[in-house]
Amino acid sequence: MKIEGTFKLHAPINVVWDYLLNIEEMSQCIPGIDTLEMIDAQSHRGTLQVKIGPIKAAFSGIVTLLEVEPPDRLVAVIDADDKRNASKVKATFTAILNADADGTVVTYTMDVNVRGRLAQFGQAVVQSTARKMAGTFSGCVQKKLNSSEAK
Amino acid sequence: MSFDFLQPDSLSGALEALAAYGDEAKVLAGGTAVVLMLQQRLIAPAALINIERVPDLNYINLKPEGMHIGPLTKLRDIERSTAIQEHCPLLSQTCGEVANVRIRNQATLGGNLAEADYASDPPTTLLALEAQVTTTSVRGTRCLALQDFHIGFFTTTLEPDELITDIFIPACPLESRMTYLKYKSRSSEDRPCTGVAALAAFDGKTCTELRLAVGAACEVPQRLPNIENMAKGQTLNDELVGEIAAGYAESIETLEDIRGSAWYRTQMIRTHVQRVLEDVRNGHR
């Protein structure tokens, strides 16, 4: 399934880009993230808890940066599983940054493949969960950018 | 899989158990949803709190100002209640459309609201009926309008320590006609692809109030007051019915699942809003 969305950050494109690529900083804004450790420059291993409808899922897996084209294009692949729910998720994540008059518009596309028990939740439920997470994420990033600007 | 199984025999016992376990507990009412999720190992609660033995949660009380329904009231009992059939036929009709008689003998109205499955019939009708949900916890009692209760897919504003303790349906306007139209795209016992509930009050042929709710095709059931108001003081002629149906179809963001695509659901909203308005206008219900 495809999950798409945009959010806007009130900061110049190069500031946003640097922030998003600072994985350690950026990951603090991902809702539900438990741990994230660096394997090498391209890969990180992490765990993420997310509530999908009535179900609490805990994913652990690896995120690999596939294409990094400063300052506007980023592609990553995510390969994770949730042992308790016997489910696997493979996703390709693409983010495109566009500068506009008063900030940066981030457009993201996720091609998600869910297998196992969690797959019974259709696109609608997963998409809505993802959209809410993106909203929380962008709000948090904006706050962090504001506070670093203030310094 | 293991969990504590609690069977409190009083409301205070149930609320204390909920306060103690909080988010880690699941409440078991009729069990038609929770037991399935347990069987499929989709949920792993630390405690299952069976509220079946809690007294005074299963009732249908008719008052001049409206109807109070206990959360443990079975959908089948609502379907068959002569009081509800007489004073609020829309609700008995809707509950009678849910799944099959075996499910309706087991599923409760409170459980249905707490689960907040979008593919369900009663929430749409309860929205049209302007139902209010009372919740209780050890901290106190709250009363919420249904649109403030269902906020997303399987998501309510019910706090982890709260239990639904009453569902109130204000008395329907005099001279009103009402109906629920369930559209199933797969089998006769399926959940709805689209559900439309309408209640219209008339003075002669003039519509004085219209309440129109659409559910199952969108994340939570929706009413569109701006479009409903187009009917006020008008006769529901074919042209107006068409405009209202188009307005609902164009305004509601539809979802896609196994029962139909987003595009398909938009068409089904248009068709079924039109049919439901024709039914209340022509007095078929």
Side-chain angles (χ1 to χ4, degrees):
Chain A
M1 74 179 81
K2 259 209 160 75
I3 297 173
E4 295 168 318
T6 60
F7 55 85
K8 174 151 187 177
L9 296 166
H10 295 278
I13 187 164
N14 56 324
V15 174
V16 172
W17 177 264
D18 287 346
Y19 186 84
L20 293 181
L21 264 279
N22 183 346
I23 307 279
E24 209 164 288
E25 269 284 304
M26 178 275 282
S27 66
Q28 291 173 14
C29 275
I30 301 174
I33 201 143
D34 261 354
T35 59
L36 192 72
E37 54 183 274
M38 196 162 161
I39 303 172
D40 55 43
Q42 271 75 48
S43 310
H44 285 73
R45 180 181 286 118
T47 55
L48 179 85
Q49 296 212 17
V50 52
K51 233 181 145 209
I52 304 170
I55 289 152
K56 289 177 201 148
F59 290 103
S60 65
I62 292 173
V63 185
T64 309
L65 294 174
L66 216 59
E67 293 168 36
V68 180
E69 295 167 24
D72 57 10
R73 187 164 180 275
L74 177 73
V75 181
V77 289
I78 299 156
D79 199 337
D81 60 8
D82 176 358
K83 295 219 162 55
R84 199 172 69 182
N85 289 311
S87 301
K88 274 185 187 302
V89 172
K90 273 183 194 241
T92 309
F93 174 88
T94 308
I96 310 270
L97 278 61
N98 273 311
D100 76 356
D102 57 340
T104 307
V105 176
V106 182
T107 307
Y108 62 90
T109 327
M110 268 179 105
D111 221 327
V112 189
N113 185 357
V114 185
R115 284 183 301 159
R117 285 199 199 109
L118 291 176
Q120 64 170 286
F121 283 93
Q123 169 151 6
V125 179
V126 176
Q127 185 140 23
S128 151
T129 307
R131 219 179 274 167
K132 274 173 203 150
M133 287 174 73
T136 311
F137 175 76
S138 59
C140 169
V141 171
Q142 183 68 60
K143 237 187 243 167
K144 298 243 172 179
L145 290 175
N146 289 351
S147 68
S148 65
E149 200 175 316
K151 278 175 203 163
Chain B
M1 180 169 54
S2 73
F3 48 76
D4 299 340
F5 188 67
L6 287 78
Q7 298 201 79
D9 50 19
S10 67
L11 180 61
S12 59
L15 296 179
E16 277 158 28
L18 268 174
Y21 285 95
D23 200 21
E24 293 298 313
K26 275 276 172 207
V27 173
L28 185 65
T32 51
V34 169
V35 171
L36 276 181
M37 284 189 268
L38 279 172
Q39 277 176 345
Q40 295 172 5
R41 304 193 177 199
L42 283 168
I43 53 172
L48 206 55
I49 302 173
N50 181 11
I51 56 169
E52 218 170 15
R53 292 183 185 172
V54 176
D56 306 325
L57 292 180
N58 181 354
Y59 54 82
I60 294 168
N61 290 340
L62 187 64
K63 297 260 174 72
E65 69 272 18
M67 190 120 45
H68 288 273
I69 301 178
L72 286 186
T73 310
K74 309 283 188 196
L75 299 185
R76 180 68 166 159
D77 292 335
I78 296 170
E79 175 190 354
R80 289 167 60 100
S81 156
T82 46
I84 298 180
Q85 284 170 3
E86 188 182 337
H87 291 94
C88 192
L90 176 58
L91 185 61
S92 48
Q93 181 207 351
T94 306
C95 288
E97 300 245 16
V98 175
N100 57 51
V101 72
R102 299 188 307 284
I103 299 281
R104 297 199 292 275
N105 270 327
Q106 194 58 37
T108 65
L109 191 62
N112 176 279
L113 290 180
E115 192 203 1
D117 192 330
Y118 66 92
S120 181
D121 304 294
T124 307
T125 282
L126 288 170
L127 182 68
L129 291 171
E130 301 184 343
Q132 293 160 19
V133 182
T134 300
T135 65
T136 308
S137 70
V138 291
R139 297 172 291 120
T141 294
R142 294 193 295 156
C143 185
L144 297 158
L146 195 71
Q147 64 266 31
D148 300 323
F149 184 76
H150 283 150
I151 53 166
F153 288 114
F154 301 97
T155 311
T156 66
T157 46
L158 199 64
E159 296 291 335
D161 64 344
E162 283 183 317
L163 203 61
I164 298 176
T165 43
D166 183 61
I167 295 128
F168 174 67
I169 295 154
C172 296
L174 293 170
E175 301 299 321
S176 58
R177 296 197 286 267
M178 53 190 98
T179 193
Y180 176 71
L181 200 52
K182 173 175 185 170
Y183 172 62
K184 291 161 285 193
S185 53
R186 301 191 304 176
S187 71
S188 65
E189 290 182 2
D190 197 14
R191 289 169 171 277
C193 167
T194 303
V196 183
L199 183 154
F202 292 95
D203 180 4
K205 284 197 161 185
T206 307
C207 178
T208 53
E209 184 185 359
L210 174 66
R211 300 190 214 154
L212 191 58
V214 171
C218 37
E219 186 162 356
V220 290
Q222 286 181 34
R223 281 177 66 184
L224 303 170
N226 289 342
I227 298 175
E228 286 175 343
N229 283 339
M230 286 163 57
K232 217 175 222 174
Q234 306 290 322
T235 51
L236 290 178
N237 58 36
D238 287 349
E239 195 188 342
L240 181 58
V241 164
E243 274 175 39
I244 294 173
Y248 266 72
E250 283 156 18
S251 307
I252 292 177
E253 191 186 337
T254 49
L255 60 83
E256 173 159 358
D257 70 5
I258 199 163
R259 295 181 189 88
S261 68
W263 176 86
Y264 181 68
R265 279 184 148 101
T266 297
Q267 311 311 313
M268 291 304 103
I269 290 175
R270 189 194 312 272
T271 304
H272 290 90
V273 165
Q274 184 184 335
R275 287 184 190 167
V276 94
L277 290 176
E278 285 167 356
D279 274 354
V280 291
R281 176 190 67 193
N282 299 342
H284 292 159
R285 306 271 189 181

